[in-house]
Amino acid sequence: MLYVIISLFVIVILLMLNSQRISLYFENLQEHKEIDFKKRTNLDLWKLTKLSPGITWLGGDQFHFSNPEFYFDDAFLYIIDYKTVIKHAIENITEMTRTSYTRNDRRIWKIVIKESDSKIVYKIATNHSLTTSNFGNFLDKVNENKESVINSEWLL
């Protein structure tokens, strides 16, 4: 028992002595993530807000859901599938509906976008949790458009 306590004490001391190095490591990791994102998409990651948790769908779910990542800013919704970036104006979103599906305790929402004479439909697993309210902010942005329909019964 004493051996375990001494080992834990040594580990805590080592972590405290290397806290600056550990902090620099995580900052460097974030910086590389931003650089990679910029190379792939030609967008600035720090200017966008992430909506989806980036879940990869397996099995039969592949017919119901898409797996790109969803981001938004003040004017646009971005659908990013590695190097492919699809950009839609938020004002073109005509419908946001909560579906009866969930995946990994994440609610699936349907987004309907009207562009030209066609409708584009996406399904998204929300990234809403106690620590992130990104999806609620996105619903507020969509709700600013008087022509959009949000299933208000299911709002967060």
Side-chain angles (χ1 to χ4, degrees):
M1 181 67 173
L2 183 62
Y3 177 74
V4 172
I5 293 172
I6 291 173
S7 297
L8 287 174
F9 180 74
V10 169
I11 290 171
V12 168
I13 295 297
L14 287 173
L15 286 173
M16 287 174 47
L17 291 174
N18 289 303
S19 64
Q20 185 176 9
R21 187 175 287 170
I22 293 168
S23 175
L24 288 174
Y25 170 78
F26 284 110
E27 287 175 17
N28 192 17
L29 191 65
Q30 180 64 25
E31 202 172 291
H32 282 299
K33 181 180 175 184
E34 291 172 6
I35 291 169
D36 178 57
F37 189 83
K38 178 77 171 174
K39 283 181 186 176
R40 288 187 296 115
T41 64
N42 203 26
L43 296 169
D44 291 324
L45 180 61
W46 60 273
K47 290 182 179 179
L48 302 176
T49 305
K50 189 170 184 175
L51 284 175
S52 60
I55 296 172
T56 303
W57 304 106
L58 302 172
D61 292 341
Q62 66 187 343
F63 301 108
H64 301 290
F65 309 107
S66 59
N67 66 347
E69 293 183 309
F70 290 76
Y71 292 84
F72 76 98
D73 60 17
D74 287 335
F76 295 99
L77 171 67
Y78 301 91
I79 296 91
I80 301 171
D81 193 2
Y82 195 67
K83 289 186 178 182
T84 306
V85 177
I86 301 170
K87 182 173 152 180
H88 299 287
I90 289 178
E91 64 188 22
N92 291 342
I93 297 175
T94 58
E95 181 183 340
M96 294 284 301
T97 308
R98 182 177 157 177
T99 68
S100 59
Y101 297 108
T102 60
R103 181 68 169 173
N104 297 337
D105 294 328
R106 306 259 186 205
R107 178 62 57 193
I108 305 299
W109 283 73
K110 179 174 77 169
I111 301 173
V112 179
I113 302 170
K114 182 179 179 186
E115 290 201 354
S116 303
D117 293 332
S118 64
K119 287 186 178 180
I120 302 167
V121 177
Y122 294 105
K123 295 203 176 161
I124 177 177
T126 64
N127 197 24
H128 189 76
S129 67
L130 292 174
T131 58
T132 61
S133 61
N134 299 345
F135 195 74
N137 295 339
F138 179 68
L139 287 176
D140 290 341
K141 281 264 183 235
V142 172
N143 204 25
E144 290 173 4
N145 180 3
K146 292 179 179 28
E147 296 179 17
S148 67
V149 175
I150 297 178
N151 190 346
S152 60
E153 174 185 348
W154 298 104
L155 286 178
L156 304 169

